[in-house]
């Protein structure tokens, strides 16, 4: 029995390795492989959910034009995505660039569905209308050399996407609101449905059998974790008096982050990088900020605004630092989760990228693509497996750290200080 | 120039965090060796302190990413 399982695991691993290896040998012959660009492309949010190769799940795009007040609602398959998630159609001036919706800046660009050719990256994206009105010749022309000016008004640029900073870091705001169900949003919906199902079924089971056996699968799996959260995090950190009030929040944080971390670790489902998306961690940290401060006692605010027991000149220095600290604590929370998960994904992707890098080296040294990719594959397999194991630990650790630090901030806020005086 | 300086900055941040994490881990191991019955408490506090040290290093790395990008 064990032998069969081992055989199967070996077969799956071999197929995975062989698939990547084949891609390295067959594809990507034009130009060198850029590890950093590929890794950043894979950890980014996207408007479609790529599974493998060119197979993807289209996701709904819901866009609101701020100037005209028009809604554009369609599935992302309408962009007719080709490799690297770049669309070949423009819809109402919206284009899909590396998986992200952007808008053509020029108002002269026609609305409706248009054939386009999108080139470039970052701020230097050029959109060219292709084949509109039977200009096949000029399309071929622009395809051959896009360096020189065509003078037909065919080339367009795109707006920057507004991101979490609200345009403060110079990115600017876009002319539309994007309510799309992206890959990250879809993953969070899955998390919501899954965790809702698990915990509501657990609650029903507890009600029905009232501390008698037999326990359901989810009860057996999660009861120790929940009791650990209650007795080892909330009770000692927040304090006997208040912990029951904050236990639901701490537990929700822990399980939500843990589920998102773990779903990002499953290979071949597109590795959604939700807890490594700074927008998500910002919102989680804002929850902690609000809950900490609206529950702050007089004792807590006294220690921030006018620290008792220190000389007046120290208070002048200390008060600004303490006020800064109120915002710095949630800031470190959000940066820690974001950076840990993103870094883990980048490292694993870089290790997989080794296959392609070694394939390129193989061509240069004359060994051939296959031999190079073989060496890279062995390295990528060993290092990737090692890193995945580490990341599994980090997934639990970061959920624990976020929960326990949130609990300790809340605990400091609700503490009335009787034990100190 | 800015690129290479930010790389140096990120590296320095990692060195600092590495020293800090090493000290936390080492002291925690010593503590557990002296008092094995307190291993659970020491481990929990060690993880929290490690996360705090790591937070300082990660802020430095995020800042260097922002300067670069």
């Amino acid at each position: 029995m064990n032998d069969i399982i081992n055989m199967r695991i070996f077969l799956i691993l071999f197929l995975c390795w062989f698939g990547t290896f084949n891609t390295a040998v067959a594809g990507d012959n034009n130009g060198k492989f850029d590890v950093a660009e590929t890794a950043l492309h894979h950890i980014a949010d996207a408007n479609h959910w790529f599974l493998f190769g060119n197979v993807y799940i289209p996701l709904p795009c819901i866009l609101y034009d701020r100037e005209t007040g028009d809604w554009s609602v369609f599935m992302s398959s309408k962009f007719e995505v080709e490799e690297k998630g770049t669309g070949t159609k423009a819809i109402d001036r919206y284009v899909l660039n590396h998986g992200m919706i952007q808008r053509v800046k020029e108002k002269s660009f026609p609305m409706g569905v248009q054939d386009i050719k999108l080139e470039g990256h970052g701020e230097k994206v050029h959109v060219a209308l292709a084949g509109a009105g039977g200009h096949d010749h000029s399309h071929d022309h622009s395809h051959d050399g896009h360096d020189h000016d065509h003078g037909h008004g065919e080339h367009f640029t795109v707006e920057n996407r507004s991101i979490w900073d609200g345009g403060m870091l110079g990115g600017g705001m876009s002319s539309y609101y994007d309510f799309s169900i992206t890959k990250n949003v879809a993953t969070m919906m899955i998390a919501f449905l899954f965790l809702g199902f698990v915990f509501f079924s657990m609650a029903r089971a507890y009600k029905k059998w009232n501390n008698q056996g037999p326990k359901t699968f989810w009860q057996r799996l999660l009861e120790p974790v929940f009791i650990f959260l209650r007795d080892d995090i909330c009770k000692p950190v927040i304090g006997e008096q208040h912990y029951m009030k904050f236990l639901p929040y701490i537990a929700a944080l822990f399980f939500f982050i843990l589920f998102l971390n773990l779903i990002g670790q499953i290979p071949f489902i597109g590795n959604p990088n939700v807890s490594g998306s700074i927008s998500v961690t910002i919102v989680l940290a804002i929850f902690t900020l609000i809950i900490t401060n609206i529950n702050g006692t007089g004792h807590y605010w006294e220690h921030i605004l006018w620290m008792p027991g220190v000389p007046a000149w120290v208070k002048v220095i200390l008060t600004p630092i303490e006020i800064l600290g109120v915002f710095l604590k949630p800031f470190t929370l959000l940066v820690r989760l974001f950076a840990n998960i993103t870094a883990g994904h980048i490292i694993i992707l870089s290790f997989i990228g080794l296959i392609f890098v070694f394939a390129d080296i193989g061509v240069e040294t004359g060994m051939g693509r296959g031999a190079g990719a073989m060496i890279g594959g062995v390295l990528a397999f060993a290092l990737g497996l090692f890193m995945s194991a580490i990341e599994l630990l980090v997934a639990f650790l970061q959920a624990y750290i976020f929960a326990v630090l949130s609990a300790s901030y809340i605990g400091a806020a609700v503490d009335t200080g009787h034990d100190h005086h | 120039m800015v690129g290479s300086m930010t790389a140096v900055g990120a590296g320095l941040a990692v060195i600092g965090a590495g020293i800090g994490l090493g000290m936390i881990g080492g002291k925690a191991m010593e503590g557990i060796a002296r008092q094995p019955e307190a291993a659970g408490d020491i481990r929990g506090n060690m993880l929290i302190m490690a996360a705090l040290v790591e937070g300082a290093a990660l802020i430095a790395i995020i800042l260097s990413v922002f300067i670069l990008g």
Side-chain angles (χ1 to χ4, degrees):
Chain A
M1 186 61 194
N2 266 337
D3 283 351
I4 295 170
I5 294 172
N6 286 344
M7 279 290 285
R8 272 189 202 151
I9 292 172
F10 180 77
L11 193 68
I12 290 167
L13 289 174
F14 179 75
L15 283 176
C16 301
W17 176 73
F18 191 71
T20 326
F21 175 73
N22 252 357
T23 331
V25 175
D28 219 48
N29 275 318
N30 45 335
K32 280 218 161 183
F33 179 76
D34 187 345
V35 181
E37 199 218 297
T38 311
L40 290 177
H41 172 70
H42 277 87
I43 60 163
D45 198 4
N47 280 88
H48 42 62
W49 195 324
F50 265 93
L51 294 174
F52 45 83
N54 269 354
V55 181
Y56 69 96
I57 305 169
L59 295 167
C61 303
I62 306 159
L63 301 146
Y64 174 78
D65 192 324
R66 285 203 296 170
E67 281 143 22
T68 62
D70 291 333
W71 290 88
S72 304
V73 181
F74 48 87
M75 295 300 280
S76 62
S77 53
K78 221 175 155 188
F79 284 118
E80 296 189 7
V81 177
E82 53 178 28
E83 61 168 336
K84 289 194 172 176
T86 300
T88 57
K89 299 266 195 242
I91 298 151
D92 294 346
R93 277 166 58 207
Y94 299 108
V95 295
L96 198 66
N97 174 28
H98 282 83
M100 308 281 257
I101 287 180
Q102 283 184 306
R103 197 159 206 214
V104 177
K105 215 183 262 169
E106 286 80 2
K107 294 262 167 32
S108 58
F109 193 86
M111 301 290 269
V113 180
Q114 307 289 338
D115 284 322
I116 53 155
K117 176 126 186 71
L118 207 147
E119 276 159 355
H121 196 258
E123 289 168 9
K124 300 188 199 80
V125 179
H126 291 286
V127 183
L129 271 175
H135 288 299
D136 274 352
H137 178 69
S138 71
H139 165 58
D140 287 345
H141 181 62
S142 69
H143 193 76
D144 288 341
H146 45 81
D147 284 332
H148 50 90
D149 187 32
H150 296 289
H152 299 304
E154 278 181 315
H155 279 250
F156 300 91
T157 49
V158 294
E159 286 176 4
N160 279 330
R161 262 180 83 88
S162 42
I163 49 167
W164 55 272
D165 64 341
M168 279 187 294
L169 292 176
M173 294 294 281
S174 54
S175 69
Y176 61 96
Y177 292 132
D178 190 346
F179 298 100
S180 305
I181 312 293
T182 61
K183 189 167 130 186
N184 283 359
V185 179
T187 312
M188 279 189 279
M189 284 175 170
I190 293 169
F192 170 73
L193 290 175
F194 177 77
L195 293 176
F197 161 74
V198 166
F199 284 104
F200 277 110
S201 72
M202 270 174 79
R204 231 179 303 120
Y206 279 115
K207 229 177 239 167
K208 199 171 168 187
W209 285 301
N210 193 21
N211 285 338
Q212 295 160 19
K215 288 188 169 160
T216 62
F217 172 76
W218 294 115
Q219 277 177 303
R220 272 176 284 146
L221 188 69
L222 294 178
E223 194 182 272
V225 183
F226 197 83
I227 287 175
F228 170 76
L229 284 174
R230 189 189 67 189
D231 291 348
D232 289 320
I233 295 184
C234 287
K235 207 183 261 180
V237 176
I238 298 179
E240 291 275 346
Q241 206 182 342
H242 300 286
Y243 78 96
M244 279 312 278
K245 189 177 163 193
F246 299 104
L247 178 61
Y249 174 64
I250 301 299
L253 264 187
F254 178 83
F255 285 111
F256 185 63
I257 295 172
L258 179 64
F259 183 81
L260 293 179
N261 286 351
L262 288 178
I263 206 170
Q265 293 296 317
I266 303 171
F268 307 109
I269 58 159
N271 293 59
N273 183 28
V274 189
S275 43
S277 154
I278 198 156
S279 317
V280 175
T281 58
I282 282 175
V283 174
L284 292 176
I286 286 174
F287 283 149
T288 296
L289 177 71
I290 292 171
I291 289 176
T292 305
N293 287 298
I294 62 171
N295 287 299
T297 55
H299 178 78
Y300 168 73
W301 289 111
E302 189 195 356
H303 274 253
I304 288 172
L305 299 174
W306 207 242
M307 180 77 80
V310 294
W313 64 272
V314 179
K315 284 177 185 172
V316 174
I317 307 168
L318 212 54
T319 304
I321 295 174
E322 286 287 337
I323 290 172
L324 202 62
V326 170
F327 297 99
L328 262 183
K329 284 171 180 174
F331 180 72
T332 54
L333 272 186
L334 79 91
V335 169
R336 181 179 301 113
L337 182 60
F338 158 73
N340 266 293
I341 304 301
T342 304
H345 278 245
I346 289 178
I347 292 169
I348 289 178
L349 287 165
S350 309
F351 284 154
I352 292 171
L354 278 180
I355 299 176
F356 299 87
V357 170
F358 271 79
D360 281 347
I361 293 173
V363 173
E364 275 169 23
T365 53
M367 275 192 301
R369 277 195 93 76
M374 191 92 78
I375 299 167
V378 172
L379 271 175
F381 178 76
L383 293 171
L385 195 64
F386 167 72
M387 205 56 219
S388 298
I390 297 276
E391 279 306 297
L392 210 55
L393 174 72
V394 168
F396 281 92
L397 195 62
Q398 290 306 318
Y400 168 74
I401 292 287
F402 202 109
V404 82
L405 287 180
S406 290
S408 76
Y409 298 155
I410 292 169
V414 297
D415 180 21
T416 45
H418 288 310
D419 40 349
H420 298 308
H421 298 293
Chain B
M1 190 60 196
V2 174
S4 46
M5 288 302 280
T6 48
V8 171
L12 285 175
V14 171
I15 290 177
I19 293 171
L21 288 171
M23 287 177 77
I24 292 167
K27 298 285 177 191
M29 288 298 123
E30 274 178 26
I32 292 173
R34 278 168 205 270
Q35 221 171 342
E37 66 273 15
D41 285 350
I42 292 172
R43 196 181 301 119
N45 287 321
M46 176 188 81
L47 288 179
I48 295 168
M49 292 315 296
L52 291 176
V53 170
E54 198 188 37
L58 288 174
I59 288 172
I61 287 175
I62 293 294
L63 285 178
S64 56
V65 168
F66 278 159
I67 291 165
L68 200 65

